[in-house]
């Protein structure tokens, strides 16, 4: 007969956090939510650290370039969904990397011989209102001028009017030499009250633009997650089928980290995928793997070379893997088991492998519980699907606004690669549903509230970092009746009008 594990498989709702001594130092302003994303050795730092412990799920209904930009600006990271063409996914990654940077390559360029019609068509195509005018119409040609929306009037100027007649010539532009620091460039912008500062080399060839709005945006988003070139950080999901074509394209697009997207990470297919990436790119490309639910699965992926490991099978709100296959484990129990294995591995080898809790989050306090149980960061789908920045439609259903949300194992997604067990290239049966989630508004506003709750809980526990949360916080199991006791009870709650 099968080996029976008598330990109960538990969920987050079966636990509560015990308060600790709150000192005068334990205030939300002193709490840090920074956490490692990828493995590192004792005494060293992770190559990528998140400023908030959240990543968005590798799902069609969640993680496109729009959500990736919004989340990176708040300090988290998105993994662009892989159940699309290599070209489309790579373009989404490229869009995030180009969205905002201290030094931005010009992506809209013309020559002085072009016309106003060309300007309007280029603006409509690219969405950029600042156009670099160079001798050859490329982003690296000799800078001859600049065109912005203030240089022409569509209602009065002829579409055939040449750019040379209305552009601001280079002789009238304030520029900065290539090699100037971002701080120096911003000082020039403020001193001369500029919106755009062109950066040119010694031959007057255009290299970059620095925009005032990027400076303002950064000040509004102090937790912004950016790389050494001040570009937003973005991840991408891959599968174990077409990785030899997909990975090189994503790397070319500028992806910062990859993650194998699979419902079952304890497999030779994942090992082969990691081997390919590590052997062909000299261990320079970061890749997470999963999902697993126990020590054995964790150690298998660690030995295969995974840079982080995702934990959780069947716990997502739209996932029906447990119903369909009887496979999985309560998310809290899985996380506690893998976290223990992670700590033992670190003690034995001096190498720390971050773990990501994927699934099972229903309430905001579940996030704090997951972090206390050992997760370094959390992957969430339903949470992010509710926001304006997610890629799905906002609908009015039954008098309430909702957003569409569907699983990668649903017939709508048809992501058979995620559930691949070999054989035919098809989805054998559904492991996800098609659904709605209540519309919640802007990502930033909701995330600020969530972070506020987590920091408040941490202060009540007397801790100000996630490491302290893992090491010092005490958890208690709760009974079904104490769960009822924790909500409003034995009163008639007043209805509130909006």
């Amino acid at each position: 007969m099968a080996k029976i594990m008598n330990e109960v498989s538990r969920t987050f709702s079966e636990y509560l956090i015990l308060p600790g001594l709150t000192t005068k130092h334990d205030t939300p302003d002193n709490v840090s939510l920074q956490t490692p994303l990828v493995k590192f050795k004792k005494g060293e730092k992770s190559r990528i650290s998140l400023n908030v412990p959240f990543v968005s799920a590798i799902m069609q209904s969640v993680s496109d370039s729009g959500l990736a930009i919004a989340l990176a600006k708040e300090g988290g990271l998105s993994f662009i969904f892989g159940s699309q063409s290599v070209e489309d996914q790579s373009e989404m990654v490229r869009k995030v990397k180009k969205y905002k940077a201290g030094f931005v390559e010009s992506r809209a360029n013309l020559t002085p011989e072009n016309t106003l019609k060309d300007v309007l068509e280029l603006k409509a195509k690219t969405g950029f209102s600042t156009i670099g005018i160079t001798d050859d119409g490329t982003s690296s040609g000799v800078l001859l001028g600049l065109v912005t929306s203030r240089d022409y009037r569509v209602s009065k100027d002829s579409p055939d009017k040449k750019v040379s007649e209305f552009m601001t010539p280079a002789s009238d532009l304030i520029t900065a030499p290539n090699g100037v620091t971002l701080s120096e460039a911003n000082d020039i912008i403020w001193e001369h009250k500029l919106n755009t500062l062109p950066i040119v080399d010694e031959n007057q060839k255009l290299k970059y633009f620095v925009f005032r709005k990027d400076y303002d945006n950064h000040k509004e988003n102090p937790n912004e997650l950016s790389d050494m070139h001040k570009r937003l950080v973005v991840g991408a999901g891959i599968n174990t089928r077409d990785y030899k074509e997909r990975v090189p394209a994503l790397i070319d697009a500028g992806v910062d980290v990859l993650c194998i997207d699979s419902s079952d990470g304890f497999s030779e297919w994942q090992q082969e995928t990691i081997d390919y990436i590590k052997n062909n790119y000299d261990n320079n490309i970061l890749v997470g793997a999963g999902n697993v639910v126990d020590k054995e699965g964790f150690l298998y992926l660690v030995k295969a070379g995974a840079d982080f490991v995702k934990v959780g099978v069947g716990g997502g709100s739209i996932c029906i893997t447990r119903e369909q296959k009887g496979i999985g484990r309560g998310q809290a129990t899985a996380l506690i088991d893998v976290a223990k294995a992670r700590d033992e591995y670190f003690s034995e080898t001096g190498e720390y492998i971050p773990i990501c809790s994927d699934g099972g989050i229903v309430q905001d306090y579940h996030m704090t519980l997951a972090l206390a149980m050992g997760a370094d960061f959390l992957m969430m789908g339903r949470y992010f699907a509710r926001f304006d920045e997610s890629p799905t439609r906002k609908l009015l259903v039954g008098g309430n606004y909702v957003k569409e949300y569907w699983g990668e194992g649903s017939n709508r997604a048809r992501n058979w690669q995620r559930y691949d067990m070999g054989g035919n290239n098809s989805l054998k049966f559904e492991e996800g549903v098609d659904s709605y989630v209540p519309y919640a508004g802007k990502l930033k506003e909701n995330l600020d509230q969530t972070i506020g709750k987590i920091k408040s809980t941490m202060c009540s526990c007397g801790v100000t970092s996630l490491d302290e949360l893992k090491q010092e916080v005490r958890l208690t199991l709760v009974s079904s009746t104490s769960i009822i006791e924790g909500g409003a009870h034995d009163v008639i709650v007043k209805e509130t009008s909006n």
Side-chain angles (χ1 to χ4, degrees):
M1 63 176 289
K3 181 179 179 181
I4 307 296
M5 300 177 66
N6 289 320
E7 179 187 6
V8 176
S9 187
R10 299 189 182 278
T11 68
F12 294 130
S13 292
E14 295 179 77
Y15 291 87
L16 284 175
I17 301 170
L18 296 181
L21 173 64
T22 302
T23 70
K24 294 179 180 179
H25 174 73
D26 299 321
T27 62
D29 289 344
N30 290 326
V31 173
S32 170
L33 295 181
Q34 192 172 74
T35 189
L37 179 73
V38 294
K39 66 184 178 185
F40 59 93
K41 293 183 178 179
K42 188 175 183 178
E44 299 179 354
K45 290 185 177 181
S46 176
R47 286 169 59 180
I48 300 178
S49 290
L50 302 173
N51 292 325
V52 295
F54 306 123
V55 300
S56 64
I58 310 170
M59 301 174 69
Q60 294 174 8
S61 55
V62 179
S63 296
D64 68 345
S65 56
L67 195 284
I69 289 168
L71 185 51
K73 288 167 70 174
E74 300 305 318
L77 178 133
S78 288
F79 287 94
I80 303 293
F81 71 91
S83 51
Q84 59 178 321
S85 71
V86 173
E87 294 75 19
D88 288 347
Q89 188 186 23
S90 299
E91 186 55 36
M92 284 189 182
V93 169
R94 197 170 282 112
K95 187 173 181 180
V96 177
K97 298 304 294 183
K98 289 181 176 180
Y99 169 75
K100 177 189 172 298
F103 296 94
V104 182
E105 291 185 5
S106 179
R107 302 190 292 280
N109 304 279
L110 294 171
T111 72
E113 294 302 307
N114 284 107
T115 64
L116 177 58
K117 180 182 178 182
D118 297 324
V119 169
L120 297 177
E121 289 178 349
L122 185 60
K123 181 180 178 181
K125 179 181 179 181
T126 64
F128 301 126
S129 58
T130 298
I131 298 175
I133 308 304
T134 60
D135 61 339
D136 58 3
T138 69
S139 61
S140 57
V142 175
L143 181 66
L144 301 179
L146 202 64
V147 168
T148 70
S149 56
R150 294 179 298 179
D151 293 315
Y152 55 84
R153 292 185 295 178
V154 177
S155 60
K156 292 192 175 183
D157 291 329
S158 169
D160 297 325
K161 189 175 183 179
K162 287 192 174 183
V163 167
S164 58
E165 298 178 43
F166 59 87
M167 71 179 188
T168 301
S171 58
D172 293 341
L173 294 173
I174 294 173
T175 63
N178 192 31
V180 67
T181 67
L182 183 59
S183 177
E184 291 169 341
N186 282 321
D187 286 343
I188 295 171
I189 287 174
W190 280 94
E191 180 181 352
H192 296 279
K193 299 180 180 179
L194 305 175
N195 288 322
T196 307
L197 177 67
I199 309 298
V200 296
D201 66 12
E202 64 274 10
N203 298 314
Q204 294 303 301
K205 288 190 174 183
L206 180 62
K207 301 299 292 183
Y208 306 102
F209 286 135
V210 177
F211 295 99
R212 172 187 288 266
K213 66 178 177 66
D214 285 347
Y215 177 85
D216 293 338
N217 286 341
H218 182 70
K219 290 299 180 183
E220 294 173 4
N221 300 284
N223 286 327
E224 185 176 273
L225 191 65
S226 56
D227 62 21
M228 61 185 298
H229 301 294
K230 304 298 182 183
R231 299 173 301 183
L232 297 180
V233 176
V234 64
I238 60 173
N239 62 66
T240 57
R241 282 279 184 153
D242 66 3
Y243 57 89
K244 292 182 180 180
E245 294 78 38
R246 192 172 293 272
V247 170
L250 291 170
I251 292 171
D252 184 65
V255 74
D256 296 283
V257 58
L258 302 170
C259 184
I260 304 173
D261 183 29
S262 173
S263 64
D264 177 15
F266 198 175
S267 76
E268 290 184 345
W269 287 287
Q270 292 224 1
Q271 181 187 33
E272 290 177 357
T273 304
I274 297 170
D275 283 344
Y276 167 82
I277 294 170
K278 296 300 180 180
N279 292 334
N280 282 274
Y281 296 97
D282 298 324
N283 282 316
N284 291 322
I285 302 304
L286 304 171
V287 55
N291 287 20
V292 298
V293 295
D294 57 14
K295 175 180 179 178
E296 289 74 18
F298 170 77
L299 291 176
Y300 181 83
L301 293 178
V302 169
K303 291 174 182 177
D307 290 292
F308 67 84
V309 174
K310 282 206 296 152
V311 179
V313 172
S317 60
I318 42 67
C319 183
I320 54 173
T321 293
R322 296 180 192 175
E323 291 181 10
Q324 294 281 51
K325 296 169 63 176
I327 294 279
R329 196 178 193 184
Q331 187 65 14
T333 301
L335 185 56
I336 291 169
D337 191 10
V338 175
K340 182 180 178 181
R342 185 265 323 277
D343 293 344
E344 290 174 352
Y345 185 83
F346 179 56
S347 178
E348 294 168 2
T349 67
E351 188 171 49
Y352 189 88
I353 314 294
I355 58 175
C356 168
S357 179
D358 179 15
I361 301 292
V362 180
Q363 307 293 338
D364 282 358
Y365 82 90
H366 290 169
M367 301 177 195
T368 315
L369 278 167
L371 295 167
M373 289 173 180
D376 294 283
F377 56 98
L378 317 176
M379 177 172 280
M380 297 182 290
R382 182 196 60 84
Y383 179 84
F384 290 113
R386 304 173 301 145
F387 303 146
D388 286 322
E389 294 84 356
S390 75
T392 62
R393 294 183 299 170
K394 174 184 171 184
L395 304 171
L396 185 62
V397 177
N400 297 306
Y401 282 106
V402 297
K403 292 207 73 177
E404 295 177 300
Y405 179 48
W406 60 91
E408 289 296 293
S410 67
N411 272 319
R412 182 169 185 174
R414 304 298 299 176
N415 184 7
W416 64 269
Q417 293 95 334
R418 188 178 197 276
Y419 303 88
D420 184 24
M421 290 291 171
N424 297 330
N425 301 352
S426 62
L427 192 67
K428 309 298 188 300
F429 50 86
E430 287 189 288
E431 293 189 43
V433 299
D434 197 344
S435 65
Y436 300 119
V437 289
Y439 168 68
K442 295 289 184 183
L443 179 146
K444 180 178 177 58
E445 296 169 1
N446 285 273
L447 193 59
D448 283 347
Q449 186 178 69
T450 294
I451 289 171
K453 292 179 184 179
I454 293 174
K455 287 186 174 183
S456 179
T457 302
M458 290 173 66
C459 290
S460 293
C461 296
V463 299
T464 56
S465 72
L466 295 182
D467 279 342
E468 291 178 352
L469 182 70
K470 294 183 182 77
Q471 296 166 10
E472 299 180 20
V473 163
R474 299 166 298 161
L475 304 180
T476 180
L477 281 167
V478 295
S479 67
S480 58
T481 51
S482 64
I483 292 174
I484 296 172
E485 179 187 59
H489 60 90
D490 300 313
V491 296
I492 301 172
V493 179
K494 294 179 181 180
E495 292 185 6
T496 57
S497 58
N498 295 327

